[in-house]
Amino acid sequence: MTQFGKILKFELKYYFKNKIFVGVTIFLVLVIAAVMFFPRIAGAFTKNKQSDASSELPVMLIKTDSPELTEQIDGAFGEAFTEYQVQPTSDSDNVIQDMITSDKAECAFVINDMTSYTYYVNNLSMYDQNTAVADSVLQNLFRMNAMVSAGIPVEQAGAMLSLEINHQTENLGKDQMQNYWYTYIMIFALYMVILLYGQMVATNVATEKSSRAMEVLITSAKPAAMMFGKVIASCLAGLVQLISVFGCAILFYSLNKEYWGDNPIVASIFDMPPGLLVYMLIFFVLGFFIYAFLYGAIGSTASKLEDINTSVMPVTMIFIIAFVVVMYSFGSGNVDNMLMKLCSYIPFTSSMAMFTRIAMSTVPWYAVTASIAILIVSVIGIGVLSAKIYRVGVLLYGTKPKFGAILKAVWKA
Amino acid sequence: MILELRDIRKSFGSKQVLDQVSFRAEGGKAFGLLGRNGAGKTTSIRILMDVFPADGGDVLIDGQPIDYRKVRIGYLPEERGLYPKKIIIDQLAYFAELKGMNHKAAVKAADYWLERLGMAEYRNKRLDTLSKGNQQKIQLITALAHNPDIIILDEPFSGLDPVNAMLLKDVVKEQIAMDKVVLFSSHQMSYIEEFCDSIAILNSGRIALHGDLHDIKRNYVRDRLVVRTEYPENIIADFGGQCSRIDDCSLLIQLAAPEEKQSVMQRLTAAYDIDEVKVFEPSLNDIFVEYAGNHTDKEDRQ
């Protein structure tokens, strides 16, 4: 086995024997399992309940002041609110309020006339659509009555009010609604893994230096072999973690697919095209290498472990800025703006920017190829430069050397 | 095997660290590389180990440029340290593997040395659970496990108790007997004197003295006598300014010329109650102070 292979094996073993690494991976898999199995477990409970009392829908009270409205409104509300037991009432407002606060009813409409009502509810949910539905029901009733009194036959008025427009959308590119969630998750995973494992490389190098294990290491192995061994080991560890988490998510989803029904978000997440996974892999590996090499080089210039946090700040800042730019463009829906196009070719940002554009928009093949080619060339360049900085950096102790001094030494080496 | 550094030059920035450094160390003998702090010992060792290249000069094995794929070097650095949180056998095997052994042979060699140094019980423990002296023995194994041709020991005895120091002495003697090149770097002159046949003294990046230790001592002008006696006062009274006290029972007599040696010795043994008289030979410590001392002091002051 080559020196590089031995270093890779030793470093990988370090990750897979590391309790925190194993613990975090198991924890994430358990969380994914809990989420994915939730509908099945929850379904089992609700099924039991339903068999006990099948008609236990929440109660909606309807009170109308004028008796001629009552019949019309009760019928219309009954049809519109199928998830409620719509019950007419003639109790006073106070009694109605008491019933709601004591959970005997969930909500109530006290309707004064066709154009005004009061909606009572105990806790107004963010997603409560009841007033919008009630508005539309009352509007329709009012228009219907107006049309009928103007002499239009009931059937004709009904047809006019229930007129539906047929439309078709032919999407020739990507459907952003469809791709939003899995792209979001992937960018976030890319961001987390690169940041986490990149910093691990820096800490790993600085630990070897501060414990002086470096004194023996540097005389036993070539700096390039050490740098590449470490970075690739941590990349593989990151990939293993990503694949276990995503793999388990896909496995658990397929086991529970029927219980999720047609939940649009979950369905869209697991409906990602395999081609995109390949792109994710490419951009993850290349983006990871760029940052991990930089983190490794910086780690080698720190004499003490405490220096690491401040030393890696500039690189972390570049990465965070790249993330913010991508997230902002992603949130605004315009992923093909000038900034994103520019970022797609800068090696520090392209892993996230180009990946987002591929996922959310249609990018010509030559642009994708150019972006990947620039990334590959940069990875090689930064890799070689980092190995040189590493070679100089690991032997420097004492005060932290200035960046210029390191570059000068690297140039000479 | 003969290891030779020839005309090695190295500078970091504008600072010349090594200037025409040359020395020679033979297999089956120990060689002492001496010098004060900052004299260039570690830089010489690092160049010898190919950590970084020299600006000029050659590292030769038997007269040919060294081939690092063929010559194995073991190194015990002055700054000790391995992976504190890792299992001892894992890291020992790892370091031996990095030096070219396969995994099985590396584990076997590490086990042999753990046994040899009385550390077998710590095999599966973490390094940071060991005392400092024991950690040092583990570090020594990283220098020896891969059966190196050249062994470089930088301050090997510092931090060892007398029992462990004795154990290390035995190991070093064993390695010398196996015809290996053993290169010592230490400030503990007594150990160098005990082990090393030849030395080089570095002073501000230059070789100030190099050669066989015995020859170096013999080449000093033999114009001083050491006298051991119970009654030094009589001699002091007779020899006056020529004579100085070393301690209560020993005197140093400065001769006008080395040729006087025999006559003065006869005079001393005839006239006084003398336990011992011999020609003064400087200790390594004296030689070191003479060759490594002044120059750097001057530079430090500058």
Side-chain angles (χ1 to χ4, degrees):
Chain A
M1 206 191 288
T2 58
Q3 235 175 26
F4 163 76
K6 287 168 184 168
I7 296 167
L8 183 68
K9 194 178 127 197
F10 185 75
E11 296 290 335
L12 263 183
K13 208 169 149 190
Y14 159 75
Y15 281 107
F16 295 140
K17 276 192 164 180
N18 185 320
K19 283 177 193 140
I20 297 173
F21 175 84
V22 176
V24 167
T25 312
I26 292 174
F27 173 75
L28 287 175
V29 168
L30 286 178
V31 169
I32 295 275
V35 172
M36 286 297 135
F37 280 96
F38 180 74
R40 177 183 280 217
I41 297 161
F45 283 113
T46 46
K47 216 181 255 171
N48 290 341
K49 264 191 190 169
Q50 272 173 1
S51 59
D52 294 343
S54 56
S55 63
E56 275 215 1
L57 289 172
V59 173
M60 177 187 275
L61 300 172
I62 306 288
K63 182 187 168 197
T64 42
D65 287 343
S66 66
E68 68 265 27
L69 278 178
T70 310
E71 192 182 341
Q72 244 183 335
I73 284 175
D74 286 349
F77 272 59
E79 274 171 36
F81 293 102
T82 50
E83 289 166 14
Y84 288 93
Q85 286 183 61
V86 180
Q87 290 179 0
T89 178
S90 52
D91 294 331
S92 73
D93 287 8
N94 288 339
V95 176
I96 289 173
Q97 285 173 24
D98 286 345
M99 284 179 76
I100 289 170
T101 49
S102 61
D103 272 349
K104 285 181 186 142
E106 190 173 289
C107 56
F109 284 95
V110 176
I111 298 168
N112 310 324
D113 55 49
M114 282 289 197
T115 56
S116 80
Y117 66 83
T118 307
Y119 177 56
Y120 291 102
V121 65
N122 199 10
N123 291 309
L124 186 60
S125 145
M126 257 167 72
Y127 305 105
D128 193 328
Q129 298 285 320
N130 288 351
T131 50
V133 174
D135 287 358
S136 138
V137 168
L138 289 174
Q139 262 173 7
N140 271 349
L141 278 178
F142 185 83
R143 285 176 184 148
M144 187 81 173
N145 289 348
M147 283 166 149
V148 170
S149 55
I152 299 169
V154 176
E155 292 77 19
Q156 205 177 337
M160 282 165 79
L161 283 173
S162 60
L163 178 72
E164 274 182 21
I165 310 293
N166 281 321
H167 79 270
Q168 271 185 320
T169 306
E170 289 275 339
N171 186 7
L172 302 176
K174 302 275 168 64
D175 182 353
Q176 290 201 349
M177 275 296 284
Q178 171 80 12
N179 301 2
Y180 184 88
W181 286 106
Y182 63 70
T183 311
Y184 185 88
I185 291 171
M186 281 173 156
I187 298 172
F188 218 83
L190 215 64
Y191 172 78
M192 291 296 290
V193 174
I194 290 179
L195 208 61
L196 210 73
Y197 283 86
Q199 296 209 4
M200 259 191 219
V201 172
T203 315
N204 195 331
V205 173
T207 310
E208 277 175 358
K209 199 178 159 188
S210 69
S211 74
R212 308 278 168 155
M214 195 58 86
E215 295 278 328
V216 180
L217 273 176
I218 196 79
T219 58
S220 311
K222 290 280 156 210
M226 280 164 67
M227 184 66 140
F228 283 83
K230 271 182 203 311
V231 167
I232 292 172
S234 100
C235 178
L236 285 177
L239 262 182
V240 166
Q241 200 165 42
L242 267 186
I243 290 170
S244 0
V245 171
F246 277 75
C248 286
I250 291 169
L251 176 74
F252 295 153
Y253 175 69
S254 61
L255 289 176
N256 296 296
K257 206 168 180 176
E258 56 193 290
Y259 295 93
W260 280 98
D262 46 2
N263 184 318
I265 293 173
V266 176
S268 86
I269 290 172
F270 289 97
D271 194 27
M272 65 176 100
L276 201 61
L277 278 174
V278 175
Y279 276 121
M280 184 182 177
L281 195 70
I282 293 171
F283 284 106
F284 166 77
V285 170
L286 293 175
F288 182 87
F289 280 160
I290 294 259
Y291 281 97
F293 280 134
L294 285 177
Y295 277 123
I298 289 173
S300 75
T301 64
S303 299
K304 287 177 282 174
L305 217 49
E306 305 92 88
D307 295 344
I308 277 293
N309 287 339
T310 45
S311 301
V312 298
M313 188 84 88
V315 175
T316 308
M317 281 310 282
I318 294 175
F319 191 58
I320 291 175
I321 289 169
F323 179 69
V324 169
V325 167
V326 169
M327 276 321 234
Y328 176 75
S329 308
F330 179 68
S332 74
N334 183 12
V335 293
D336 282 329
N337 61 38
M338 266 318 284
L339 194 58
M340 282 290 276
K341 278 184 178 163
L342 186 69
C343 286
S344 307
Y345 301 102
I346 300 171
F348 297 110
T349 50
S350 60
S351 53
M352 279 193 289
M354 190 44 111
F355 174 73
T356 308
R357 287 181 60 211
I358 292 171
M360 297 288 282
S361 155
T362 307
V363 188
W365 65 268
Y366 52 85
V368 177
T369 314
S371 174
I372 293 177
I374 291 172
L375 257 175
I376 291 173
V377 172
S378 309
V379 164
I380 295 169
I382 290 178
V384 170
L385 181 74
S386 298
K388 285 189 172 180
I389 294 177
Y390 181 86
R391 183 187 184 129
V392 173
V394 289
L395 296 171
L396 295 175
Y397 289 100
T399 48
K400 196 174 143 34
K402 289 199 173 71
F403 188 64
I406 293 174
L407 280 189
K408 224 168 139 187
V410 167
W411 185 252
K412 266 200 79 187
Chain B
M1 179 185 276
I2 296 172
L3 164 73
E4 195 177 353
L5 266 71
R6 195 184 285 167
D7 299 331
I8 298 288
R9 283 180 291 111
K10 180 74 186 176
S11 40
F12 293 121
S14 58
K15 188 172 165 43
Q16 177 108 27
V17 182
L18 296 180
D19 185 12
Q20 307 289 333
V21 167
S22 303
F23 60 78
R24 217 175 113 95
E26 284 178 40
K29 289 179 178 175
F31 176 86
L33 182 62
L34 312 178
R36 295 181 61 186
N37 301 325
K41 298 187 298 289
T42 307
T43 307
S44 302
I45 291 170
R46 283 179 176 164
I47 287 173
L48 161 59
M49 299 193 70
D50 197 32
V51 173
F52 41 65
D55 296 341
D58 302 294
V59 179
L60 308 170
I61 293 289
D62 296 330
Q64 300 296 315
I66 186 168
D67 182 349
Y68 289 101
R69 286 165 304 174
K70 289 184 186 153
V71 178
R72 281 163 307 191
I73 304 179
Y75 178 45
L76 177 76
E78 185 183 3
E79 294 278 3
R80 314 276 202 265
L82 295 169
Y83 293 105
K85 305 279 176 208
K86 288 190 179 156
I87 302 296
I88 285 168
I89 186 69
D90 286 353
Q91 43 184 323
L92 286 178
Y94 175 56
F95 283 113
E97 280 184 66
L98 284 182
K99 296 281 194 179
M101 289 181 121
N102 66 44
H103 182 70
K104 217 172 151 188
V107 172
K108 201 177 158 195
D111 275 331
Y112 164 78
W113 280 104
L114 284 169
E115 190 70 44
R116 173 78 178 78
L117 298 181
M119 303 291 291
E121 60 182 302
Y122 303 111
R123 185 185 191 271
N124 297 316
K125 292 217 156 59
R126 269 173 27 176
L127 183 74
D128 59 1
T129 59
L130 268 58
S131 71
K132 204 177 159 212
N134 282 341
Q135 287 191 22
Q136 188 147 329
K137 282 157 88 177
I138 297 296
Q139 182 111 31
L140 181 69
I141 298 177
T142 63
L144 299 173
H146 59 291
N147 193 21
D149 307 300
I150 300 171
I151 301 165
I152 301 170
L153 305 171
D154 201 344
E155 292 293 356
F157 294 99
S158 76
L160 288 185
D161 63 44
V163 176
N164 279 329
M166 186 64 84
L167 185 62
L168 177 58
K169 275 186 196 177
D170 290 343
V171 169
V172 171
K173 281 176 187 160
E174 232 174 69
Q175 297 292 313
I176 295 172
M178 289 161 80
D179 223 22
K180 297 184 174 182
V181 176
V182 178
L183 200 150
F184 268 103
S185 173
S186 177
H187 293 135
Q188 288 170 284
M189 297 300 154
S190 56
Y191 287 116
I192 300 278
E193 263 189 310
E194 185 177 343
F195 283 107
C196 296
D197 301 295
S198 52
I199 58 157
I201 296 179
L202 267 172
N203 190 341
S204 304
R206 291 191 197 92
I207 292 287
L209 183 69
H210 176 218
D212 185 277
L213 187 54
H214 189 64
D215 291 345
I216 290 171
K217 285 185 176 180
R218 283 201 65 84
N219 285 342
Y220 265 76
V221 186
R222 303 171 75 77
D223 61 351
R224 278 178 286 182
L225 295 180
V226 179
V227 183
R228 195 156 60 82
T229 172
E230 292 292 315
Y231 312 101
E233 287 74 17
N234 304 339
I235 305 175
I236 293 171
D238 288 355
F239 280 80
Q242 261 186 294
C243 183
S244 58
R245 255 182 204 273
I246 298 172
D247 54 46
D248 283 351
C249 299
S250 305
L251 299 168
L252 187 68
I253 298 174
Q254 178 70 51
L255 307 175
E259 296 74 35
E260 277 187 2
K261 180 175 74 184
Q262 212 171 354
S263 59
V264 175
M265 270 183 170
Q266 281 168 354
R267 190 179 135 200
L268 281 166
T269 45
Y272 307 98
D273 181 3
I274 300 282
D275 293 334
E276 185 187 9
V277 58
K278 62 178 184 184
V279 177
F280 171 79
E281 278 191 353
S283 68
L284 183 56
N285 206 55
D286 300 324
I287 299 171
F288 182 83
V289 170
E290 184 179 341
Y291 282 90
N294 300 331
H295 201 87
T296 29
D297 277 347
K298 235 183 277 168
E299 291 221 334
D300 284 349
R301 278 199 296 275
Q302 279 167 6

